[in-house]
Every structure is written in structure tokens, then in C-alpha cells.
Amino acid sequence: QLHEYPKPWATTGARGRKHNVVNSLWIDPDVLEALNLRIQAKYARAQAEEVRSSEYMTDDAELVLVAYGCPARICRTAVDLAREEGMAVGLFRPITLFPFPVGQIANLAKAGKMFLAVEMSHGQMVEDVRLAVNGVSEVAFHGRSGGIVPTPTEILNQVRARFGKPPVISNFPGSSDSAGKEGRI
């Protein structure tokens, strides 16, 4: 037998009760607009004063990896490995994700850089990168989820693919892409 419990907060089409009125605390449009303008001014001030990021070897890079947190450290190793192979790769690391460093990425795009967003997710940051690039350059994505941490070789193979090179096999201990000593990079 199904027991229904009273839910006076629920919008149920007003079955057997008077209508619930759900609206903003700021009902007056002028008051609400003033609030929104104050919030927008706060966002603009944060965008002007609080955006932080770092760059590693982006000056001559053709491809820029964009990553934050743990993947950024892994990408830095992948950049070093790619550089050893002669590929012009750099790393852009957003330190603040909000506000996002749109201007810095836009400048890299205008300089002709391609981008590879690397995340331990299904692509939340890549959308911000695409918005910042605004169609000026290519933006690719590589993501892992479920707690899987990408390896430097995994990222290197993403880079190699963009440079038209075949993948390599890793000998990083515990790597899902390791194949023993014969494949060591």
C-alpha cells in the first residue's frame, strides 16, 4: 500500500489545496534589475582583478595543452616528452576557473595556437576553452573519469596524433599503457 505524505512545498498542480506561489524575493523588476547590475559589476571586477593562470613553453608552441589540477602536472611532463621529440607543445594552466582566463586563451588563439583540453571529467572546462577561442582555432578534448588519472604517455599520444605521429608505449610503472622495457620511452 502506497502512503503519501503531505508536501506543502511541492508544486503538484494544486490537487486539493490552494495554489503555491513561487517567485523571486525581489518581485519589483526595478529592484531585481538593480541587484543584477550589482552582481554583474562584481563579476566584471573579478574578471579584471582576480583571473590567474600560468603558461609553460607557450611562446613557440603550435599546440597548447589546457589543464588544471593534477592533469596540469601530468601535461607538463607530456610537454617535456613532446619537446624531446621536437614537437612544439606548451601548457596553459588556469589557476582560477571562475572567472576563467578567457583573455589569455583568446590571445593564444589569435597567435595561431591549437588547443587540447585535458580533464579528469567529461569536458566541463573544454566548453570554457571553446568560448574563449571563439572559433579562431581548433579545440580538441581528452578526458578521463571515474577517478582514472591519465598518464604522461596517454597525453603524449594525444599530442602525437595531432602531429600525425603514431602512438608510443610507456614503461611508467602502473601505467595502463605500459608494455615492459621494450616499449620504454
Side-chain angles (χ1 to χ4, degrees), residues 10 21 25 36 38 44-45 58 64 71 79-80 90 92 96 102 107 111 113 118 128-129 134-135 160-161:
V21 178
L25 295 176
N36 287 331
R38 282 194 312 274
R45 197 168 52 254
T58 59
V64 175
V79 166
D80 292 339
F92 182 88
T96 56
V102 172
N107 289 338
K113 316 294 184 186
V118 178
D128 293 318
V129 175
N134 197 24
R160 289 177 63 83

Side-chain angles (χ1 to χ4, degrees), residues 15-129:
R15 278 185 309 204
R17 63 163 177 77
K18 63 183 197 167
H19 290 274
N20 282 341
V21 178
V22 179
N23 60 23
S24 171
L25 295 176
W26 295 277
I27 297 170
D28 182 336
D30 292 327
V31 173
L32 183 55
E33 182 179 46
L35 171 69
N36 287 331
L37 290 171
R38 282 194 312 274
I39 291 170
Q40 290 303 312
K42 185 183 289 188
Y43 290 160
R45 197 168 52 254
Q47 186 71 42
E49 299 171 6
E50 302 297 331
V51 173
R52 295 187 309 138
S53 62
S54 68
E55 296 182 34
Y56 178 65
M57 296 185 156
T58 59
D59 290 341
D60 67 338
E62 296 172 37
L63 175 66
V64 175
L65 307 180
V66 182
Y68 66 93
C70 292
R73 292 185 206 151
I74 297 162
C75 284
R76 186 174 173 124
T77 299
V79 166
D80 292 339
L81 293 170
R83 289 285 177 155
E84 287 174 11
E85 294 185 25
M87 292 178 278
V89 180
L91 170 64
F92 182 88
R93 180 176 70 99
I95 297 170
T96 56
L97 294 175
F98 182 80
F100 195 73
V102 172
Q104 294 86 334
I105 291 176
N107 289 338
L108 289 170
K110 289 175 192 166
K113 316 294 184 186
M114 295 181 302
F115 298 88
L116 172 61
V118 178
E119 301 180 53
M120 286 177 57
S121 67
H122 288 284
Q124 285 78 2
M125 181 190 63
V126 71
E127 296 302 323
D128 293 318
V129 175

